[in-house]
Amino acid sequence: MNALDTGVLLCYFLVLIVAGILGAKRAKTAEDFALAGRNLGLFVYLGCLSAVILGGASTIGTAKLGYQFGISGMWFVFMIGLGIAVLGLFFTNQIYGANVTTISELLGRRYNQETRLISALVAAIYTLMVSVTQVIGMGTIIHAVLGWSMTVSMLVGGGIVLFYTILGGMWSVTMTDIIQFIVMTVGIFFVMLPMSLSHVGGWESLLERLPASHFDLTSMGWANIFQYFLLYTLGMVVSQDIWQRVFTARTTKIARSGAVYAGLYSVAYALALSVIGMCGVIVFPNINDPQNVFASMSLEILPHGLLGLILASVCSALMSTASGTLLASSTLLSYDILKQYWLKNISDQKFVLLSRMMTLAIGAVAITFAVWIQDVLVALDVAYAILSGAIFVPVVLGFFWKRATEKAGFYSIVISSLVVLIGLAVEGLSSTNPIMYGIGASIISIVVFSYLFPSSNLKSGNEALEDRQNAL
């Protein structure tokens, strides 16, 4: 690795640290730390939301899928973008107007405190697993660039993210994410994509040299496309790290518009990475591991300096997702569990300190797991399966079905979580059927228990939320 590329990457890390320190000066209250004071404008909000949803798996994974399946490789990130757009179009008014901090707090208001507790645990485990995968990805990039051991590389990458996240919470994450969003956009759309196409002779060359199947949107198969829908579209709608970003918007209009624009940006990102992967088929027709196609293309076509920028863009995608999920997991545990059950009268200043300590603890666990396991993609799929199979239905029916009652919400999450886990154990961790089993079990249980244990005052989800909010 050239010294210029190494210098670019190290300078980028230094910029992130400085931005995190500056963001810490604005994190004076608990709301500042968790939600950046609910005060972000459209561009900053759009950049932060896009940065958190497009992680290292989106970048490296989509290039791999583009190599294997051609333009059909876009469906992975397309379904992520679809989930964000659906959230913006159909749920923003409800969740933003509820004036909550976490998805579990909203479920607690709509159903009961037991539902809040179990949903917080499920969501916290999911966000922790996402953080672990991002730390592993950062370690891989730093190891390749600087030649350090994987363990040291993960400690450095994870440590930088943990450092600025602890300092300023969402304000530090916001300031670093907007930098990361710009670096990602420039690196992928203005450097990597045009140079990849130029290296292989342009789009016409792709049409001539690649098989027709690489230009078929469904070449990966409807089963895989549907799997991505179940995992990521439904998962994005009920993911705490996404909701937490939605709550940072200054107005409902900004929250809704920014989510839709982030969805559109994700589609463009998916197309760009798929095309880069398709270019890789021509440059490396017999690559041993398609997972390495993005890195191999970068090393092959980019001059020194720009190579460092592209590697920084990949790190940007990893770091932005890692910081968001670390903060989401710590917020769930500190706000929905510790404060609710043990520290009910804690002052705002002490709660900020508690949030920082919890972020440190979650970050330490994530880095430890990353160093210890070094491959948790299966665990991530399991976490997404539980999130989609167990949390999606109670949230949606809580908003739109007035008969959903307190006990029904709690039992729905418990039963569907067990169904998903048993289904994964029986059919295998790669099967999508357990998600459908979980959704089916969730619908049946929430309907049955709502009629077995009816509420004396049946209202819509929004009315129930408003009444409980006014009572607080």
Side-chain angles (χ1 to χ4, degrees):
M1 181 61 63
N2 185 273
L4 179 59
D5 298 317
T6 301
V8 169
L9 193 61
L10 292 176
C11 286
Y12 175 69
F13 289 158
L14 180 61
V15 168
L16 292 183
I17 291 172
V18 172
I21 293 172
L22 293 175
K25 296 180 179 180
R26 307 190 67 173
K28 299 178 181 179
T29 67
E31 190 166 87
D32 288 336
F33 190 87
L35 303 174
R38 302 181 190 265
N39 196 37
L40 300 188
L42 179 60
F43 175 74
V44 176
Y45 168 71
L46 165 63
C48 291
L49 190 58
S50 299
V52 75
I53 63 177
L54 298 173
S58 301
T59 304
I60 298 171
T62 303
K64 171 188 174 181
L65 293 172
Y67 185 93
Q68 294 174 315
F69 302 107
I71 203 69
S72 184
M74 67 172 283
W75 286 111
F76 166 36
V77 172
F78 177 91
M79 290 304 178
I80 292 176
L82 178 61
I84 296 300
V86 168
L87 177 65
L89 289 172
F90 300 106
F91 293 92
T92 300
N93 287 343
Q94 287 90 343
I95 66 175
Y96 191 89
N99 195 33
V100 296
T101 301
T102 68
I103 184 173
S104 302
E105 182 184 4
L106 185 140
L107 287 171
R109 290 186 185 181
R110 179 60 181 87
Y111 297 108
N112 55 29
Q113 289 302 304
E114 288 79 8
T115 306
R116 180 175 185 175
L117 173 62
I118 191 169
S119 62
L121 290 173
V122 170
I125 292 171
Y126 152 73
T127 49
L128 173 63
M129 288 297 101
V130 176
S131 300
V132 173
T133 61
Q134 305 309 300
V135 173
I136 293 173
M138 283 183 276
T140 302
I141 297 297
I142 296 172
H143 168 71
V145 175
L146 302 180
W148 297 344
S149 70
M150 274 293 292
T151 298
V152 173
S153 298
M154 285 187 282
L155 288 173
V156 170
I160 291 172
V161 172
L162 184 57
F163 174 75
Y164 69 70
T165 305
I166 289 173
L167 281 181
M170 187 60 80
W171 269 122
S172 290
V173 170
T174 296
M175 296 188 71
T176 54
D177 273 4
I178 198 62
I179 296 171
Q180 291 161 344
F181 172 70
I182 294 171
V183 172
M184 286 167 54
T185 302
V186 172
I188 298 301
F189 291 101
F190 296 99
V191 177
M192 195 65 187
L193 177 60
M195 293 194 70
S196 295
L197 284 170
S198 175
H199 190 77
V200 300
W203 181 255
E204 293 297 328
S205 178
L206 287 182
L207 290 172
E208 293 174 1
R209 300 168 69 179
L210 293 181
S213 61
H214 270 59
F215 300 92
D216 181 359
L217 280 172
T218 62
S219 64
M220 71 162 48
W222 286 108
N224 285 327
I225 295 171
F226 186 58
Q227 178 184 24
Y228 291 142
F229 171 78
L230 288 176
L231 285 173
Y232 302 114
T233 300
L234 302 189
M236 287 294 108
V237 173
V238 294
S239 181
Q240 167 61 23
D241 52 323
I242 307 304
W243 279 42
Q244 202 160 339
R245 296 306 176 96
V246 171
F247 298 147
T248 64
R250 185 179 300 137
T251 66
T252 305
K253 182 179 179 180
I254 290 175
R256 181 173 57 251
S257 301
V260 173
Y261 294 151
L264 294 174
Y265 179 88
S266 299
V267 174
Y269 198 85
L271 286 169
L273 267 298
S274 296
V275 172
I276 292 169
M278 292 165 67
C279 294
V281 177
I282 297 175
V283 180
F284 303 101
N286 299 310
I287 195 169
N288 291 327
D289 184 2
Q291 188 81 18
N292 297 326
V293 68
F294 185 88
S296 298
M297 285 291 292
S298 300
L299 292 168
E300 176 71 20
I301 69 175
L302 297 178
H304 294 302
L306 282 179
L307 177 58
L309 175 65
I310 292 301
L311 294 174
S313 72
V314 177
C315 280
S316 294
L318 293 159
M319 287 180 159
S320 57
T321 301
S323 60
T325 50
L326 280 177
L327 188 60
S329 187
S330 66
T331 301
L332 285 161
L333 295 176
S334 58
Y335 193 81
D336 290 299
I337 298 177
L338 294 180
K339 186 176 181 180
Q340 291 302 308
Y341 290 91
W342 289 285
L343 303 168
K344 293 183 178 181
N345 298 317
I346 189 172
S347 67
D348 193 71
Q349 185 177 11
K350 289 183 178 180
F351 186 72
V352 172
L353 177 60
L354 172 66
S355 298
R356 286 193 169 104
M357 292 174 62
M358 185 56 63
T359 303
L360 175 61
I362 293 295
V365 170
I367 295 171
T368 301
F369 277 18
V371 172
W372 177 36
I373 303 173
Q374 298 199 13
D375 185 1
V376 292
L377 294 180
V378 171
L380 180 61
D381 285 343
V382 172
Y384 258 115
I386 296 174
L387 193 69
S388 300
I391 303 295
F392 181 78
V393 170
V395 170
V396 174
L397 291 188
F399 281 132
F400 300 111
W401 191 49
K402 68 177 183 179
R403 285 188 174 273
T405 61
E406 292 87 349
K407 290 185 177 180
F410 172 73
Y411 287 119
S412 170
I413 295 175
V414 173
I415 292 172
S416 55
S417 295
L418 291 174
V419 168
V420 170
L421 291 173
I422 292 172
L424 290 170
V426 173
E427 299 202 9
L429 298 177
S430 61
S431 175
T432 58
N433 290 333
I435 304 174
M436 292 184 284
Y437 300 155
I439 291 175
S442 187
I443 294 173
I444 293 171
S445 57
I446 203 169
V447 171
V448 169
F449 281 101
S450 290
Y451 281 101
L452 286 177
F453 304 101
S455 174
S456 59
N457 185 20
L458 294 177
K459 296 185 177 184
S460 70
N462 289 336
E463 289 172 332
L465 284 171
E466 289 172 3
D467 285 354
R468 295 186 185 190
Q469 184 177 341
N470 292 334
L472 294 176

